[in-house]
Amino acid sequence: DTEVTQTPKHLVMGMTNKKSLKCEQHMGHRAMYWYKQKAKKPPELMFVYSYEKLSINESVPSRFSPECPNSSLLNLHLHALQPEDSALYLCASSPWGASSGNTIYFGEGSWLTVV
Amino acid sequence: LAKTTQPISMDSYEGQEVNITCSHNNIATNDYITWYQQFPSQGPRFIIQGYKTKVTNEVASLFIPADRKSSTLSLPRVSLSDTAVYYCLFLNRDDKIIFGKGTRLHILP
């Protein structure tokens, strides 16, 4: 099973709302990632968790708050977002980080619309 | 960080072989070259990965010359369903997996 599951698939939220995106994998992977993708653009790296610790934050605004409760789960908490934050948010995982020879598995994404 | 350069778009016809080349002049010794396919509104899907020479799997082949400054993804006998964006990127030890602009492949009937 090489599946990364993301919920919800679609989310509409107001600029004053607080919501969360969830990601789950049961492959025993120890690295998990959040990417943001705007239409017709490549995915942009946001955060990397390695062994449940935040290892990379690509200068993401604090209105995005990642959380890794355990090795199988990754959340992205959203608060006070702006309309320009509307995008496809992709979660990914890999066995032991982006090491040589590893494979990164992506979920199908969560479509976020901020109104 | 190693940077990749790919053609922005390509057109081909059903049944043809398609080759997409990626340039990566500053590839590091530990970098593995990996290709992903992405359909609209879906997450990227792993296609193939290699370090040097040639790698082949059930869907594609990857050719990497000895200097490793470029790589070519080869898709045999494409069909309409191969219309997608194809990304080449690197996996190395620093956990940063950065996507380039990708190549939009359009297969025509």
Side-chain angles (χ1 to χ4, degrees):
Chain A
D1 180 13
T2 56
E3 190 169 312
V4 176
T5 303
Q6 292 188 241
T7 56
K9 291 197 185 320
H10 298 272
L11 176 64
V12 179
M13 62 183 290
M15 290 187 283
T16 59
N17 291 159
K18 285 185 181 181
K19 298 284 185 183
S20 297
L21 303 180
K22 298 185 185 302
C23 176
E24 190 168 2
Q25 57 86 14
H26 295 289
M27 297 177 277
H29 289 179
R30 304 316 300 267
M32 297 185 77
Y33 311 78
W34 280 115
Y35 283 82
K36 172 184 176 180
Q37 186 173 27
K38 302 283 274 185
K40 298 192 185 301
K41 298 289 187 183
E44 298 175 18
L45 182 64
M46 299 175 72
F47 302 104
V48 180
Y49 272 82
S50 181
Y51 293 86
E52 300 168 47
K53 292 191 187 322
L54 182 65
S55 61
I56 295 176
N57 176 343
E58 287 287 271
S59 302
V60 179
S62 59
R63 58 185 183 269
F64 296 92
S65 175
E67 178 197 18
C68 189
N70 59 57
S71 60
S72 299
L73 295 174
L74 184 66
N75 298 322
L76 185 63
H77 302 299
L78 314 170
H79 174 55
L81 295 193
Q82 302 297 311
E84 58 265 29
D85 296 321
S86 299
L88 178 67
Y89 288 84
L90 293 162
C91 175
S93 71
S94 64
W96 56 87
S99 300
S100 307
N102 229 342
T103 299
I104 315 297
Y105 298 92
F106 284 83
E108 290 304 307
S110 292
W111 281 101
L112 173 67
T113 302
V114 181
V115 297
Chain B
L1 212 60
K3 182 180 175 183
T4 61
T5 303
Q6 303 173 234
I8 293 174
S9 65
M10 294 178 67
D11 289 341
S12 187
Y13 292 92
E14 280 192 294
Q16 299 287 308
E17 177 184 78
V18 171
N19 296 311
I20 306 174
T21 296
C22 179
S23 297
H24 28 79
N25 291 326
N26 59 341
I27 188 170
T29 303
N30 294 324
D31 288 341
Y32 274 64
I33 299 155
T34 309
W35 285 79
Y36 280 81
Q37 175 192 56
Q38 188 177 27
F39 298 114
S41 304
Q42 294 187 21
R45 185 175 72 100
F46 172 85
I47 302 175
I48 198 166
Q49 182 182 79
Y51 185 80
K52 60 180 178 181
T53 63
K54 178 183 174 182
V55 179
T56 297
N57 63 21
E58 63 275 10
V59 298
S61 294
L62 179 60
F63 300 91
I64 305 169
D67 65 6
R68 302 199 335 119
K69 293 185 184 299
S70 67
S71 60
T72 299
L73 173 72
S74 181
L75 304 172
R77 297 179 298 281
V78 294
S79 64
L80 295 176
S81 62
D82 292 314
T83 293
V85 180
Y86 293 82
Y87 295 100
C88 81
L89 45 91
F90 299 127
L91 299 185
N92 56 38
R93 286 179 297 176
D94 69 2
D95 281 350
K96 279 194 176 187
I97 306 160
I98 306 298
F99 283 77
K101 291 183 166 56
T103 297
R104 293 187 176 277
L105 176 64
H106 187 204
I107 305 301
L108 303 164

